[in-house]
Amino acid sequence: MTVTTHRDLRLGVLGFGLRGSIARTAHRPGAGSRVIALAEHDAAARAEADKAFPGALITADHREVIESPHVNAVVVLTPDHTHADLACLALKAGKPVFVEKPLDISIERCDELLRTAYETGSRLYVGHNMRHMPVVRLMRDIITRGEIGQVKSVWVRHFVGSGGDFYFKDWHAERRYTNGLLLQKASHDLDVLHWLANGYTRQVQAFGDLMVYGDNPHRRAPGEPKHADWHNEDGNWPPHTQRGLNPDIDVEDVSVVNLRLDNGVLAAYQQCHFTPDYWRNYTVIGDAGRLENFGDGPGAVVKVWNSRRSAYRERADAEYPVPDAEDDGHGGADPLLVDEFLRFAREGGVTDTSPVAARMAVAAGVRATESLRTGGMPREVQGLDPELVSYFESGQDPLARLEVRPA
């Protein structure tokens, strides 16, 4: 293994699957950070990592990465159900940790992870990259300026045109690894919804079903790897033409969710994998107007209606183009996410992403999933220990931890 002597933050990465793009983005030799060690159980992925990070330690054993004295910070990019276990080990080793969203697939595991960060004083960062997406930041700025007044309701429609490629051809399709797509997929939107509305879900009710891929018989045999053409932007449409699906599929692919937040805001989230297009539409209604985004990437626009009553007006009272960004992952959000993590790992301080908010997004997703699997029965979403809330909202300041710790 090559050990650098300059001031790059030396990163150890766990996992090199689809979100291995985060590791590639964070590998900036001579420009502040570099990957020096990576653990991955899949041999083919290890071979790819060996090419991507010359001189790095590439291993199948996560302990070699976490325990390495040369690693300054750990980046967890493994499947969802492993996040808490691996992140807790790294935190206990005294390393700052980046955890890809969702934090984990149960509320209890999330709370264990936050408690471990609190007790060790090691820095915890969560990869909710949509908080850095230009369209989301633009909507939040409009709301913060008061252009639509006080937020009263938020509606989110998520059109998942490539769901058959990304979520039903590997472990994402199985409850034991994800719990459901209201965690793996919707945790993004639940976090953004909470951020725009400035509140957290307290009650949730949902319906959902496995409507799109449940009866598709074209599945791989157990142990058979994904097909070479598993993702095809020009093909795989309509959904019933998908081939090489995961052998086991038991997560819902269509869902509708109703939420009541702790500040009285009423919200709704809808996710559908029948759709041919892939984007998110947010409508935020305040007591003095509403906003809506049309598109969520380069070329998109956020429109605001707030001057008077009328029938539908295509020409809004204000129209804000979504700022251009180099689309290197999620509309340019991934590089900004990595920038914030690197700064936080080095210096600490408050971040735009929030471990508390990440936990509350999981809590809302867990309870919504329970609701849709029990005939739509409403569920209560419990809050987080105020001691932990105070610690993380302070920017994980060790002095704040000492101040709130009981004698």
Side-chain angles (χ1 to χ4, degrees):
M1 179 180 68
T2 300
V3 179
T4 59
T5 58
H6 48 70
R7 298 181 63 83
D8 281 347
L9 192 72
R10 299 187 298 272
L11 302 176
V13 176
L14 307 181
F16 199 58
L18 190 61
R19 289 302 278 156
S21 58
I22 287 288
R24 293 179 185 272
T25 299
H27 187 55
R28 307 168 176 177
S33 61
R34 69 171 60 206
V35 174
I36 69 158
L38 185 145
E40 166 59 58
H41 71 88
D42 181 76
R46 287 199 302 274
E48 287 299 314
D50 194 48
K51 297 175 186 176
F53 312 114
L57 166 69
I58 308 298
T59 176
D61 188 350
H62 62 272
R63 291 167 297 185
E64 288 190 67
V65 174
I66 293 173
E67 296 171 4
S68 170
H70 305 298
V71 168
N72 302 134
V74 173
V75 178
V76 179
L77 306 175
T78 52
D80 302 350
H81 70 295
T82 68
H83 286 179
D85 282 344
L86 295 174
C88 284
L89 286 175
L91 291 167
K92 290 175 181 177
K95 310 285 176 71
V97 177
F98 175 110
V99 182
E100 173 62 348
K101 65 83 203 158
L103 271 180
D104 205 275
I105 66 173
S106 78
I107 300 171
E108 295 75 18
R109 301 296 302 284
C110 291
D111 289 355
E112 176 189 355
L113 177 50
L114 267 61
R115 176 65 63 178
T116 299
Y118 171 79
E119 291 178 347
T120 61
S122 300
R123 294 169 179 160
L124 173 64
Y125 186 88
V126 187
H128 271 288
N129 51 8
M130 280 190 64
R131 290 198 175 205
H132 290 283
M133 282 182 68
V135 66
V136 171
R137 298 182 81 88
L138 175 58
M139 292 188 293
R140 181 170 165 81
D141 288 345
I142 292 168
I143 294 168
T144 301
R145 292 196 299 264
E147 292 191 34
I148 63 171
Q150 184 177 358
V151 174
K152 294 297 182 181
S153 190
V154 183
W155 308 335
V156 183
R157 296 184 301 165
H158 192 181
F159 308 102
V160 191
S162 298
D165 299 289
F166 288 124
Y167 304 106
F168 292 91
K169 292 183 177 175
D170 62 9
W171 58 269
H172 295 85
E174 300 183 51
R175 296 182 185 187
R176 58 178 172 161
Y177 300 129
T178 65
N179 193 331
L181 289 178
L182 291 178
L183 279 83
Q184 212 297 317
K185 191 67 179 151
S187 62
H188 270 313
D189 298 281
L190 293 171
D191 178 59
V192 170
L193 188 157
H194 289 161
W195 204 37
L196 297 179
N198 195 32
Y200 292 128
T201 299
R202 283 292 174 259
Q203 294 175 301
V204 63
Q205 178 269 339
F207 290 101
D209 208 345
L210 179 54
M211 301 172 65
V212 185
Y213 299 107
D215 60 358
N216 187 321
H218 300 288
R219 305 188 183 189
R220 303 189 317 277
E224 181 184 355
K226 284 196 293 188
H227 298 174
D229 61 347
W230 67 275
H231 181 251
N232 183 351
E233 291 286 356
D234 299 321
N236 296 342
W237 175 259
H240 71 261
T241 66
Q242 290 278 5
R243 298 295 184 266
L245 297 174
N246 200 61
D248 298 313
I249 298 176
D250 62 0
V251 301
E252 298 77 10
D253 48 32
V254 176
S255 56
V256 292
V257 183
N258 296 314
L259 313 102
R260 183 189 299 273
L261 275 56
D262 54 14
N263 57 3
V265 169
L266 295 176
Y269 171 79
Q270 302 175 19
Q271 181 183 134
C272 182
H273 293 250
F274 277 122
T275 176
D277 46 343
Y278 198 135
W279 65 292
R280 293 169 165 93
N281 172 255
Y282 289 85
T283 297
V284 184
I285 304 172
D287 58 11
R290 78 174 179 93
L291 67 76
E292 183 175 357
N293 69 296
F294 294 84
D296 57 9
V301 62
V302 176
K303 296 185 178 184
V304 177
W305 292 266
N306 61 2
S307 69
R308 59 186 172 88
R309 288 177 174 169
S310 72
Y312 172 70
R313 289 182 283 132
E314 182 177 358
R315 187 176 181 84
D317 295 301
E319 299 188 7
Y320 299 97
V322 174
D324 288 335
E326 186 175 338
D327 193 1
D328 187 12
H330 294 85
D334 283 358
L336 298 174
L337 182 81
V338 168
D339 288 345
E340 186 174 62
F341 167 65
L342 296 175
R343 187 272 300 166
F344 176 69
R346 289 180 180 275
E347 305 169 8
V350 176
T351 58
D352 283 334
T353 67
S354 162
V356 172
R359 183 270 190 189
M360 293 305 299
V362 168
V366 166
R367 295 297 181 235
T369 302
E370 292 174 356
S371 176
L372 70 82
R373 291 176 182 165
T374 55
M377 292 293 294
R379 297 283 177 160
E380 299 290 324
V381 180
Q382 62 268 50
L384 182 64
D385 184 340
E387 182 179 46
L388 296 180
V389 173
S390 176
Y391 173 67
F392 287 104
E393 288 185 347
S394 76
Q396 304 178 51
D397 182 352
L399 294 179
R401 178 172 58 88
L402 294 173
E403 289 170 3
V404 297
R405 184 189 291 268

